[in-house]
Amino acid sequence: MNQTIDDLIAHARSQPAPLLPLLHRLHERDGYLSDETLRAVAEGLKIPIADLFGTVTFYHHFARVEGGFTAPRVCDGPVCRLAGAHELLTQLDGAKPMPCSGRCDEPIPVLRGGQTFVGLSADALEARPTPLPPTPPAGTEECVFRHIRDDGRNTLEGYRSTGGYSALEKAVTSMTPEDVIAEVDASELAGRGGAGFPTGRKWRAVQDAEGGPKTVVCNADEGEPGCFKDRALMDHDPHAVLEGIALACFATGAPRAFLYLRYEYPETEHLLTAAIQEAERAGMLGDDVFGTGHTIRIHIRRGAGAYICGEETSLLNSLEGKHPFPRNRPPDPVTDGYEGTPTAVNNVETLAAVPPILLHGADWYRDLGLGGHAGTKVISLSGDVHTPGNYEVPIGLPFRTLIEEWAGGTRAGNAIQAVTMAGLSGGFLAGDDLDVTLDEPSIRSKGSMLGAGGIMVFDETRNMIEIAHMAMEFFADESCGKCFPCRIGTQRLTERLAGGGDRHEGIPSDIVAWLDEVADLGDTMKATSACGLGQAAPLITESLVRYFPEAVRKHVSETDG
Ligand SMILES: Cc1cc2nc3c(=O)[nH]c(=O)nc-3n(C[C@H](O)[C@H](O)[C@H](O)COP(=O)(O)O)c2cc1C
Ligand code: SF4
């Protein structure tokens, strides 16, 4: 029986961060969000109607026309586009493109209502579980993937069978929060969501901050094209993520946590909900964790499609039901996060690394790295490689070793023309610069970054101008528009990369003028953009010009202004 909108609003109001779950419930119930529904929500949650309309229409996935919820959405990320996404779009009635939906190891994902299908053509589409990470070379020691391939791993019993939740039990029964933070500090674990901030230091800042209740947020937005590691962790090892969140709660003194999950992972929400219920029933989460009286409540909140919501302050605004613009800093979330409370925002992979660190010790974790680097990093590898997938590598592993020895080389043995780093945010690496090791200092020395660890490989058969255009178009579509240089700059750079019939009037066909304009736009964006999106986007054009001057020259001269 359908509940009335008043019942649903009353229930939502009894929950923290009520707007997104309420909108999702109504979206699923009615198949879209009507004007009338939005008016009732605005009144029920006391949100100005204009603000609510602005917020709802900002997200990609809230449909405003009947039947929109179940209309197919086809992944239009770079890897899927090269695999034929545009053709698939024409084969499915009423289909719309969606930005990279985090399944680049198994193109092409299609979202229909609450289910994901994958396949290269309409006839081949089928619902399949998220692929498991490929087996690494013999002798490799992993941290977060250590048990991920074990049978039954995503059940509480399976997780417990290898010591799952014993790190949490040990922490709450015989350690102080400071002990936990000291161990995490000693492990040199740093954020795996992109920025690489030391995790122990972040937790200590939250613990030391005045006010409360404190909050932990697990950032599972994973919107960076070419990144799909968090999905694998949550689907195949959900309890490890939950235990990591619980340890962050204990260390920071937070009784509550949110897991902010990207819209495009509907199956993951069910798996995580079941895992939370299982752990609560067993007394490992909830109001009396391991009989110690500690409260740790984890709430899942699902986004609605917006890359910018991965940026932590934008995420917090989204949770609070506000327009998800990034916030100005300072203050930072560690003192003024969710509803102004001290908040630790951490990536899924960062949190999943904490239980094994506490079980095996900081030295064990540090020693997993190579060449003086600490620990491991999951690399989501996709594109023109023999075996795409998630690989947990020792930090410091040579990139070419990953490609040649772990991933079976390139597709059809072709030479690599370029790869992207940090998904798209690190721009391209090519030529001799591919002789990097997989760690921030090595990759930053080439003007790029490792970030969240997405690497898309493009072989010698690919058109790099076209790929750069796709990348910039993504940033232009996803710029939240708060700051002028990013909003306009990403559009102008996209226009300069457009070829053929998409060529805009007034774009210089003189290479010197074109290069000057592109450099000027990029410099302005890097200097004045308020968040990482606007600062990173120009790396695409900078690296394109650096590695592929001839292709750029040809592109500029072939299309008349
Ligand atoms: C545009 C943008 C998008 C981001 N997307 C994500 C994301 O999807 N997942 C994530 O964990 N961090 C993302 N981040 C980084 C977060 O702001 C934040 O640094 C991170 O969640 C902190 O967790 P960590 O310290 O464990 O890495 C993004 C940052 C920017 C600027
Ligand atoms: S840099 Fe771009 S995405 Fe970031 S706040 Fe400014 S307009 Fe928004």
Side-chain angles (χ1 to χ4, degrees):
M1 192 184 74
N2 271 347
Q3 288 174 290
T4 67
I5 193 157
D6 290 341
D7 293 339
L8 292 171
I9 290 173
H11 173 73
R13 287 177 58 155
S14 68
Q15 303 292 312
L19 179 64
L20 283 169
L22 177 61
L23 291 174
H24 284 306
R25 184 74 189 82
L26 295 163
H27 193 221
E28 282 165 33
R29 188 192 71 167
D30 302 340
Y32 77 120
L33 293 172
S34 67
D35 287 359
E36 193 190 358
T37 299
L38 290 185
R39 266 188 228 104
V41 170
E43 199 174 311
L45 296 188
K46 309 224 170 319
I47 301 173
I49 186 79
D51 290 358
L52 184 65
F53 268 77
T55 301
V56 165
T57 51
F58 181 83
Y59 295 107
H60 295 300
H61 289 297
F62 283 136
R64 300 275 291 114
V65 289
E66 269 182 71
F69 170 64
T70 46
R73 290 129 212 256
V74 178
C75 179
D76 189 33
V79 170
C80 288
R81 224 191 268 192
L82 294 177
H86 282 181
E87 206 177 318
L88 182 54
L89 264 167
T90 63
Q91 297 170 5
L92 298 166
D93 263 1
K96 290 199 312 185
M98 64 178 162
C100 177
S101 68
R103 200 158 175 154
C104 319
D105 49 346
E106 207 180 31
I108 301 168
V110 176
L111 194 63
R112 202 182 269 143
Q115 229 188 331
T116 313
F117 302 84
V118 284
L120 294 175
S121 66
D123 296 340
L125 287 177
E126 56 175 335
R128 278 187 238 153
T130 296
L132 274 168
T135 309
T140 307
E141 191 158 16
E142 298 172 302
C143 173
V144 294
F145 285 172
R146 198 174 167 82
H147 293 292
I148 200 165
R149 304 171 196 85
D150 296 357
D151 279 347
R153 180 66 180 175
N154 66 3
T155 63
L156 184 61
E157 196 190 342
Y159 186 61
R160 294 283 280 166
S161 71
T162 59
Y165 286 109
S166 48
L168 179 63
E169 183 172 18
K170 181 170 131 195
V172 294
T173 57
S174 62
M175 292 171 82
T176 64
E178 184 46 44
D179 293 337
V180 173
I181 293 176
E183 195 69 16
V184 172
D185 253 345
S187 74
E188 296 177 29
L189 177 67
R192 301 297 186 229
F197 192 85
T199 307
R201 210 188 315 158
K202 185 180 288 187
W203 290 6
R204 187 169 290 110
V206 175
Q207 193 200 46
D208 289 349
E210 301 281 325
K214 291 174 180 171
T215 314
V216 166
V217 174
C218 174
N219 188 344
D221 199 50
E222 192 154 66
E224 183 74 40
C227 290
F228 44 91
K229 67 192 175 72
D230 297 340
R231 172 186 205 133
L233 280 166
M234 292 185 286
D235 282 12
H236 294 295
D237 209 354
H239 286 286
V241 180
L242 299 180
E243 189 180 6
I245 297 173
L247 284 161
C249 285
F250 175 71
T252 56
R256 65 178 175 194
F258 296 100
L259 185 146
Y260 188 93
L261 180 67
R262 76 176 298 190
Y263 179 86
E264 293 81 353
Y265 293 174
E267 295 83 1
T268 307
E269 183 182 15
H270 301 307
L271 289 164
L272 286 168
T273 303
I276 291 173
Q277 286 167 352
E278 244 187 322
E280 284 187 352
R281 275 197 303 272
M284 289 153 198
L285 296 175
D287 290 331
D288 187 19
V289 174
F290 285 102
T292 58
H294 281 289
T295 294
I296 299 176
R297 287 268 170 208
I298 303 178
H299 309 275
I300 300 174
R301 291 292 177 266
R302 199 168 157 213
Y307 167 64
I308 197 60
C309 287
E311 194 283 331
E312 58 188 359
T313 60
S314 175
L315 186 162
L316 293 168
N317 279 341
S318 174
L319 270 181
E320 290 180 20
K322 295 180 182 149
H323 194 86
F325 278 148
R327 297 177 181 173
N328 296 333
R329 300 180 191 226
D332 286 310
V334 289
T335 53
D336 294 76
Y338 175 70
E339 292 186 338
T341 63
T343 301
V345 183
N346 278 120
N347 173 254
V348 170
E349 182 189 347
T350 314
L351 292 164
V354 175
I357 287 173
L358 287 192
L359 271 186
H360 305 290
D363 293 349
W364 166 82
Y365 182 73
R366 266 202 329 270
D367 289 348
L368 294 178
L370 297 175
H373 300 286
T376 64
K377 175 79 194 83
V378 177
I379 304 293
S380 300
L381 191 64
S382 63
D384 298 328
V385 281
H386 182 270
T387 314
N390 285 302
Y391 294 90
E392 184 177 11
V393 302
I395 295 187
L397 184 79
F399 167 70
R400 291 203 189 268
T401 307
L402 171 65
I403 295 288
E404 283 152 26
E405 292 172 28
W406 293 48
T410 55
R411 180 182 67 119
N414 289 341
I416 297 179
Q417 186 171 191
V419 303
T420 64
M421 282 284 159
L424 287 179
S425 293
F428 302 113
L429 283 187
D432 291 346
D433 285 353
L434 293 173
D435 293 325
V436 282
T437 49
L438 294 166
D439 55 80
E440 283 299 355
S442 174
I443 295 168
R444 281 187 191 261
S445 74
K446 309 293 178 200
S448 181
M449 57 191 165
L450 182 59
I455 299 182
M456 290 182 263
V457 177
F458 300 105
D459 72 18
E460 57 196 338
T461 66
R462 305 300 187 182
N463 176 340
M464 291 310 297
I465 304 285
E466 193 189 320
I467 290 159
H469 179 249
M470 278 183 218
M472 198 55 73
E473 198 175 36
F474 168 81
F475 288 124
D477 287 346
E478 295 298 326
S479 166
C480 78
K482 180 177 155 169
C483 28
F484 182 79
C486 167
R487 172 163 36 103
I488 304 298
T490 50
Q491 294 288 352
R492 294 292 167 264
L493 290 177
T494 306
E495 289 162 8
R496 272 144 189 81
L497 292 167
D502 294 334
R503 175 85 170 186
H504 286 248
E505 273 180 33
I507 306 287
S509 54
D510 168 67
I511 186 70
V512 176
W514 190 97
L515 288 173
D516 276 355
E517 270 190 8
V518 165
D520 188 31
L521 284 164
D523 289 348
T524 309
M525 287 164 69
K526 286 204 283 186
T528 56
S529 292
C531 88
L533 189 156
Q535 292 156 11
L539 290 182
I540 291 290
T541 32
E542 265 178 26
S543 53
L544 181 78
V545 167
R546 184 164 65 244
Y547 294 119
F548 302 103
E550 270 318 306
V552 170
R553 197 178 296 275
K554 192 157 170 276
H555 163 74
V556 174
S557 64
E558 267 180 3
T559 36
D560 286 328

